[in-house]
Amino acid sequence: MAKNRFEQVDEPQPDAITLSLGQRDGKTFASIACPADLAAGHLANDFVSDELEPIEGFRSAVRLANEIKAPIVVLDADGLWQDEWGELYRED
């Protein structure tokens, strides 16, 4: 079975849900950003989640993407992506 593929980016994208992974004080976290324009009326304003456990952030981003039919991109400057989530790639 083919793994899902997610593009790694350096900044949030206006045409995608952005899953951000980070670390602070030795603790890893995730957050989700979704532009209101992308949500086709589901959101009145741009949405940024609170910090979540990484797996919960990933699952929530996938649920939201499936619900509004939008792509997901990943901000991961610290290399925190988990291989079991799928393939993380960078556009040339």
Side-chain angles (χ1 to χ4, degrees):
M1 186 158 125
K3 285 186 171 185
N4 289 323
R5 297 182 76 222
F6 300 89
E7 182 181 358
Q8 185 173 4
V9 297
D10 295 322
E11 58 189 39
Q13 302 297 301
D15 60 349
I17 294 166
T18 302
L19 173 64
S20 299
L21 301 172
Q23 230 174 13
R24 185 176 35 261
D25 299 327
K27 183 174 176 166
T28 303
F29 63 89
S31 65
I32 302 162
C34 182
D37 291 344
L38 184 65
H42 287 77
L43 298 172
N45 299 307
D46 292 348
F47 169 78
V48 178
S49 74
D50 292 333
E51 292 180 357
L52 306 164
E53 291 294 323
I55 188 65
E56 185 58 34
F58 173 74
R59 289 176 179 158
S60 296
V62 169
R63 277 192 301 271
L64 179 59
N66 286 336
E67 183 177 320
I68 66 172
K69 308 292 188 250
I72 299 171
V73 296
V74 179
L75 277 171
D76 183 20
D78 297 322
L80 303 170
W81 182 258
Q82 301 294 310
D83 288 338
E84 61 265 17
W85 299 344
E87 178 186 346
L88 188 60
Y89 72 94
R90 191 176 277 281
E91 277 294 316
D92 294 333

